[in-house]
Amino acid sequence: MPSHRKTTALRRLPALALVALTAIAGPACVSKPTMQLDHAEITGIRIGFPPSLGILMTVVVNVHNPNSYDVAVRAVRGQVVLAGRYTMPVDFRAPGEGVWLPSDRTTQVRVPVSIPVDLAFQLLRETLASPVIPYRFSGRADVTATRTFRLEADDYSVDDHGVVFRHQIETALGVMR
């Protein structure tokens, strides 16, 4: 005949399994973070390998995490289209575990984009009469939900328009007006 202790433990087993399943499945219902373009800035010159020289444009995206737990942006990929016709690839991989976004907060994620120097000069020639250069940023982010369970979800999207100030490109290139 089983002891009272063993019977009680066996009765608790389904309840414990339900609690464990809820803990694991709960984070799987990740509410989609919303991403909105904030601005872009020219932050300097980028020297790459193989030998290349570019202007470093940083696209700043506001990401709101509506969840009750932290999530991390692991990567952002897509494209920036400058002046309606020059397409620059975006392939940002966050260092370490990613950029962690606190629960129920908006966090800025900075995404670097390299603009070849020859294209930067072309943009300056084409926009002599305008103080700004329009761009469109469209991309997708890969997100990890919760630090504990590390559930991964991909393809959270952003598609937005903005402008970068022409004088920032001039300054980075050392161009005088």
Side-chain angles (χ1 to χ4, degrees):
M1 178 170 207
S3 74
H4 177 64
R5 257 188 215 179
K6 287 181 182 176
T7 307
T8 304
L10 289 174
R11 283 187 201 152
R12 288 187 193 158
L13 190 58
L16 290 173
L18 181 62
V19 169
L21 183 60
T22 302
I24 292 169
C29 301
V30 178
S31 292
K32 194 172 193 177
T34 56
M35 301 194 320
Q36 182 178 22
L37 184 63
D38 186 273
H39 70 282
E41 54 198 38
I42 303 299
T43 53
I45 299 288
R46 175 179 248 176
I47 299 171
F49 186 81
S52 64
L53 184 62
I55 302 296
L56 182 59
M57 180 170 118
T58 302
V59 177
V60 180
V61 180
N62 291 330
V63 184
H64 179 72
N65 174 13
N67 298 292
S68 61
Y69 45 84
D70 297 350
V71 299
V73 174
R74 298 186 319 276
V76 177
R77 57 197 182 288
Q79 65 184 16
V80 169
V81 179
L82 294 160
R85 64 180 177 191
Y86 300 107
T87 302
M88 309 302 331
V90 173
D91 190 14
F92 169 68
R93 308 284 176 193
E97 297 177 342
V99 179
W100 281 97
L101 312 172
S103 65
D104 198 28
R105 292 221 175 106
T106 299
T107 304
Q108 289 191 330
V109 176
R110 303 175 69 78
V111 180
V113 179
S114 185
I115 303 170
V117 168
D118 58 336
L119 177 58
F121 279 116
Q122 179 69 27
L123 285 167
L124 290 179
R125 283 191 295 275
E126 291 179 9
T127 60
L128 277 173
S130 176
V132 296
I133 299 169
Y135 69 92
R136 177 181 179 184
F137 174 59
S138 55
R140 301 195 176 283
D142 298 338
V143 175
T144 298
T146 81
R147 292 178 194 264
T148 305
F149 296 109
R150 305 237 186 262
L151 298 171
E152 295 183 358
D154 299 335
D155 295 334
Y156 294 112
S157 64
V158 61
D159 189 355
D160 213 343
H161 295 80
V163 296
V164 64
F165 291 97
R166 186 178 188 286
H167 74 83
Q168 290 180 316
I169 293 175
E170 291 172 337
T171 302
L173 292 173
V175 175
M176 298 293 200
R177 264 190 159 204

